[in-house]
Amino acid sequence: MLKRTLALACGLALVSAPALAENDDLVIKSSPHGVTETLDRLSDVVEENGATVFARIDHAAGASAIDEDLAPMEVLIFGNPQMGTPLIQENPEVGLDLPVRVLAWEDSSGNTRVAYLEAEELADRYDIDEDLEAVQNMEQALDKLTGAAISE
């Protein structure tokens, strides 16, 4: 948990990074669209590609519910059993990080950022071979899906 918290903090510190930035755990991209539109687009492309959207969490709405302010920030949770099952077969504990989560937030400059855990980091975390086809497929799928969501 501490590692994930630190990774997120490090990732958020990269908000002034170029269109695609990476730290040890996260892939962070810039979106020309607002947070809600970015995740609407991601949700659409996820479903168009045969995956399932399981949940969407609006952190800003949660903050507002307790009379606190938070810049727009949402998480989309989605998955595809064809991609996730081989990883869970390798190590059932990976189910703690699946289905996949993609975070979109508005940084202090008003820019929208999108972040997700790198598939190879997920493999490392659960002692799964990074060269496993399922890991490579997940990495490519996340790049493709988020790329479509942030396209002009």
Side-chain angles (χ1 to χ4, degrees):
M1 181 67 171
L2 179 59
K3 183 178 178 184
R4 176 178 289 133
T5 302
L6 290 174
L8 182 57
C10 291
L12 293 176
L14 292 174
V15 294
S16 62
L20 175 63
E22 293 185 52
N23 71 15
D24 290 76
D25 297 341
L26 300 178
V27 174
I28 301 174
K29 299 179 179 184
S30 295
S31 174
H33 315 290
V35 169
T36 298
E37 182 180 352
T38 297
L39 285 193
D40 286 347
R41 292 167 59 95
L42 180 59
S43 180
D44 289 346
V45 75
V46 161
E47 290 178 340
E48 288 167 7
N49 282 275
T52 301
V53 173
F54 295 107
R56 187 164 173 169
I57 301 164
D58 186 337
H59 287 300
S64 179
I66 60 165
D67 294 323
E68 293 292 335
D69 292 324
L70 190 61
M73 179 182 288
E74 298 181 32
V75 177
L76 190 70
I77 302 171
F78 62 93
N80 181 330
Q82 289 180 316
M83 293 213 173
T85 300
L87 297 175
I88 293 171
Q89 289 172 330
E90 288 290 318
N91 184 346
E93 294 170 357
V94 78
L96 287 168
D97 280 310
L98 294 178
V100 171
R101 296 176 307 277
V102 173
L103 171 69
W105 76 97
E106 183 179 294
D107 68 18
S108 60
S109 299
N111 298 310
T112 301
R113 304 294 184 195
V114 176
Y116 57 89
L117 182 66
E118 188 175 68
E120 290 179 359
E121 173 58 29
L122 182 72
D124 285 346
R125 183 177 289 177
Y126 294 102
D127 198 28
I128 297 171
D129 183 359
E130 290 179 15
D131 294 327
L132 189 69
E133 184 177 2
V135 174
Q136 299 306 311
N137 290 343
M138 182 176 287
E139 189 69 32
Q140 291 170 3
L142 283 167
D143 184 53
K144 174 185 168 188
L145 295 170
T146 56
I150 65 172
S151 67
E152 293 283 343

